[in-house]
Amino acid sequence: KGLPHLPVPSLDATLTKYLRCLEPIQSRDEFDRTKALVDRFRSSDTNVGQHLQDMLTEHAAKSENYAVDWWLEDMYLANSLSLPINSNPAFVLPQQHFTDTEDYLKFIAKLISGILDYKVLIDARALPIDRATSREKGQPLCMEQYYRLFSCYRMPDVSIDRLLQMRNSKLLYHQGEHVIVAYRNQFFVLNVIVNFTRLDEDDIYTLLRRVVQIADDDPWSTDEVGIYTSLPRRTWAHVRTELMKDALNRDSLDLIERCIFLVCLDQADIPDLDEEEDLVNFNTAVKRDFVSLGEQILHGGKNMLNASNRWYDKTMQFIIGTDGMFGLNYEHSPAEAIAVIQLIEHLFKYIDEKTRERFHRSKSLCELPVPHRLKWNLNQFLRQNISLSKELLQNAIHDFDLYILKFTDYGKEFPKKHNMSPDAFIQMCLQFTYFKMYNKLVSTYESASTRRFHFGRVDNIRANTPEALEWARAMVDESGNISAAEKLRLFRQAMQAQTDLMIQ
């Protein structure tokens, strides 16, 4: 409440900025042509620019945020690429260590309980309001993204995806809310409200034990439907339409689409199995590197072992492996990372507090509803598309290279000590690196939060400024005519241009 509406920049400001974005990446001839087109667009003779500006101003006056729907459509919903790798980010969280299956499932019970604890605040819209920490410090920021974390679902459709928002109502709440547990490529409904009461950690642990028991007793009774959500969006939309023709599939899909979040219990890579008993040997779990953890959370892992143990359309997917791998894959369209990070911080605090408490005796299974395993009826077309999904994801994984540089020479304190913005410092380093490799700059997108405005999400900073190009050229100059002091001056000038854009 009380947040300003996103302002419409003047036509001149927009066109000036547009030319500044293009100048560093176009040849002289290309830029001259662009400038002539912009001048014609701006000209009172054609009046095209002013006419469109007036229409935009009129539209903005009637909407709470004139940009957000167009932005959401362009950025996410109209994009037909598959979600893993292309869109859904991965959070690698600290690797855990489990001594046995009980330890593993108790951690997951704590995790689910901690998320539900945070959801209470969200349902009551009782989160403390975030405030700006720089430039007009204390200014309130829009909180809408937080309230979409557990109520949204991205549904594929044949022309453009739809972002569905399940409205929280007390009636719906008391009818029962559920979490979906993915294990061995199967999906289980875990009701977290029973007899109008939220289950505690002990109850959740008991139900998780039951899930594992059901799937372990019958591990092959599975159709790997989770892999469908890794398909390109329009293909998945056609597959979903076919799935929906069967009543059993409709019910199963409905339960996944309406769940609060998913928890994916991942299989650890061999040799994690005890040969004689086919049980996880927790003593063999080793500390893994960031790349292998990141890949498993991003797309299920190079070996495809957990590729179908996912449902990428759901906003929040928490992933825990028996080897301690822990992370989160989230569908990006409802919220930015900041809302997710706040949830994760709440979660770790909750887990830390609960770990100090004594775990109570588990209740008898007969006191709780048995977790319901989702079933599917798949015809030949649907089975063929499971094979196609695997093939396409495997190709995407082969096409994707991930390397993580752990840079330890210095951190953010170094630029701060020299009165430089760490963000601007890093952005200029990226521009210079690209220039050194290819002898040119390209159009670059850096996210800038617009949460100071009602329903604000992000806009972009084009870090490829004329000032960045001038500095990069000076840095590789071989004439010896540019002094170190001049290079430093150009560097500071480029960082200032970056900071000015961010403030705008």
Side-chain angles (χ1 to χ4, degrees):
K1 287 179 183 174
L3 286 178
H5 286 203
L6 187 71
V8 180
S10 72
L11 180 62
D12 276 347
T14 297
L15 297 179
T16 302
K17 194 175 204 175
Y18 177 66
L19 289 172
R20 268 183 60 81
C21 291
L22 290 176
E23 190 179 4
I25 59 171
Q26 288 189 317
S27 69
R28 177 43 57 193
D29 287 349
E30 284 172 334
F31 185 69
D32 287 345
R33 182 172 175 273
T34 300
K35 198 167 179 317
L37 288 168
V38 167
D39 288 342
R40 203 168 103 208
F41 184 81
R42 191 195 319 247
S43 157
S44 55
D45 296 341
T46 60
N47 210 31
V48 176
Q50 193 53 53
H51 177 59
L52 289 171
Q53 178 76 7
D54 292 343
M55 286 172 71
L56 179 60
T57 307
E58 189 181 330
H59 170 71
K62 295 175 189 167
S63 59
E64 291 174 295
N65 186 311
Y66 73 90
V68 75
D69 288 342
W70 292 329
W71 174 87
L72 181 66
E73 196 171 293
D74 258 11
M75 189 83 168
Y76 297 109
L77 305 183
N79 190 336
S80 60
L81 292 173
S82 56
L83 296 184
I85 299 176
N86 299 303
S87 184
N88 283 25
F91 281 73
V92 179
L93 302 176
Q95 194 174 347
Q96 305 298 305
H97 177 70
F98 306 119
T99 52
D100 53 27
T101 305
E102 183 182 0
D103 194 27
Y104 174 56
L105 296 180
K106 280 182 176 177
F107 175 81
I108 298 167
K110 266 198 223 51
L111 170 78
I112 293 172
S113 196
I115 299 166
L116 295 175
D117 187 65
Y118 192 73
K119 188 176 178 291
V120 170
L121 294 173
I122 285 179
D123 289 347
R125 292 186 82 88
L127 288 173
I129 290 176
D130 290 347
R131 295 186 179 273
T133 54
S134 63
R135 313 208 179 277
E136 298 174 46
K137 282 186 183 179
Q139 186 179 344
L141 303 176
C142 181
M143 297 293 288
E144 274 310 305
Q145 293 174 44
Y146 289 94
Y147 300 113
R148 287 195 291 262
L149 288 178
F150 300 117
S151 61
C152 277
Y153 182 80
R154 179 165 169 178
M155 196 176 91
D157 214 337
V158 287
S159 57
I160 183 170
D161 286 4
R162 288 188 284 158
L163 187 60
L164 307 178
Q165 187 153 9
M166 324 292 171
R167 294 288 166 205
N168 289 336
S169 71
K170 283 192 174 157
L171 178 67
L172 189 69
Y173 180 83
H174 289 318
Q175 283 176 340
E177 289 197 330
H178 63 278
V179 169
I180 293 287
V181 176
Y183 177 60
R184 287 185 180 268
N185 307 328
Q186 302 172 51
F187 297 100
F188 292 83
V189 177
L190 198 84
N191 287 310
V192 291
I193 306 284
V194 177
N195 296 330
F196 307 106
T197 307
R198 193 178 109 199
L199 296 189
D200 63 18
E201 234 172 277
D202 306 18
D203 295 332
I204 293 168
Y205 165 70
T206 302
L207 292 177
L208 287 169
R209 251 179 48 217
R210 189 79 180 103
V211 164
V212 168
Q213 187 186 335
I214 294 167
D216 284 350
D217 287 350
D218 189 11
W220 308 116
S221 72
T222 174
D223 293 305
E224 297 177 51
V225 292
I227 197 81
Y228 288 144
T229 63
S230 71
L231 280 167
R233 302 306 291 168
R234 305 302 151 246
T235 312
W236 168 211
H238 288 296
V239 169
R240 186 182 179 280
T241 302
E242 185 65 27
L243 265 175
M244 291 288 283
K245 291 177 182 174
D246 181 273
L248 184 69
N249 296 340
R250 273 201 305 277
D251 289 344
S252 292
L253 272 174
D254 180 61
L255 283 161
I256 292 177
E257 291 170 3
R258 282 194 299 105
C259 77
I260 312 170
F261 57 91
L262 260 89
V263 179
C264 307
L265 279 58
D266 272 14
Q267 303 289 298
D269 205 356
I270 308 299
D272 213 21
L273 294 176
D274 187 302
E275 285 178 19
E276 289 179 16
E277 298 183 32
D278 194 37
L279 293 171
V280 175
N281 180 357
F282 285 90
N283 296 325
T284 62
V286 292
K287 191 152 179 66
R288 287 168 54 186
D289 63 87
F290 276 135
V291 171
S292 75
L293 293 169
E295 286 177 335
Q296 187 169 338
I297 296 161
L298 201 59
H299 52 59
K302 274 192 172 146
N303 55 14
M304 300 278 287
L305 182 64
N306 296 289
S308 304
N309 206 46
R310 300 282 184 274
W311 200 270
Y312 289 106
D313 296 4
K314 194 64 199 172
T315 310
M316 309 291 281
Q317 280 193 103
F318 293 87
I319 304 163
I320 309 100
T322 48
D323 61 355
M325 186 279 310
F326 181 30
L328 162 72
N329 182 295
Y330 91 97
E331 199 287 295
H332 208 325
S333 63
E336 311 314 324
I338 192 72
V340 179
I341 288 166
Q342 296 278 46
L343 160 64
I344 290 168
E345 290 194 347
H346 177 93
L347 194 52
F348 275 111
K349 195 174 164 195
Y350 179 92
I351 289 172
D352 190 46
E353 285 170 4
K354 288 291 176 183
T355 304
R356 296 196 201 112
E357 294 177 12
R358 193 170 64 81
F359 206 83
H360 306 297
R361 181 187 66 80
S362 294
K363 292 185 177 63
S364 158
L365 279 179
C366 61
E367 295 173 32
L368 295 165
V370 175
H372 163 57
R373 174 164 50 189
L374 299 183
K375 295 192 171 66
W376 311 88
N377 271 336
L378 304 186
N379 57 27
Q380 191 184 357
F381 170 80
L382 292 169
R383 291 192 187 282
Q384 283 171 346
N385 271 281
I386 285 179
S387 302
L388 172 70
S389 305
K390 288 182 177 177
E391 188 184 326
L392 291 178
L393 182 60
Q394 184 76 77
N395 292 344
I397 290 169
H398 282 319
D399 260 359
F400 173 69
D401 294 319
L402 177 64
Y403 178 81
I404 296 173
L405 170 68
K406 289 182 78 175
F407 184 80
T408 55
D409 293 19
Y410 57 83
K412 65 183 177 184
E413 293 310 319
F414 171 74
K416 279 184 175 179
K417 193 167 78 179
H418 295 280
N419 199 24
M420 298 171 177
S421 150
D423 175 74
F425 182 90
I426 288 291
Q427 291 299 326
M428 290 309 102
C429 290
L430 292 171
Q431 294 299 316
F432 180 41
T433 304
Y434 192 93
F435 186 83
K436 278 198 291 184
M437 291 171 72
Y438 302 108
N439 203 33
K440 64 176 184 178
L441 296 186
V442 287
S443 190
T444 316
Y445 181 119
E446 183 199 0
S447 284
S449 172
T450 55
R451 286 178 62 212
R452 291 165 189 261
F453 302 102
H454 196 41
F455 290 151
R457 291 285 299 266
V458 296
D459 203 329
N460 69 61
I461 297 167
R462 297 284 173 203
N464 51 295
T465 58
E467 291 83 357
L469 180 60
E470 189 184 3
W471 167 64
R473 281 177 174 154
M475 289 294 282
V476 298
D477 176 71
E478 292 175 356
S479 69
N481 296 332
I482 303 177
S483 67
E486 176 61 7
K487 289 175 183 174
L488 182 59
R489 186 191 71 78
L490 291 172
F491 183 47
R492 287 193 178 277
Q493 182 177 288
M495 282 195 295
Q496 188 56 51
Q498 169 76 12
T499 303
D500 292 345
L501 265 175
M502 184 182 70
I503 295 166
Q504 285 174 28

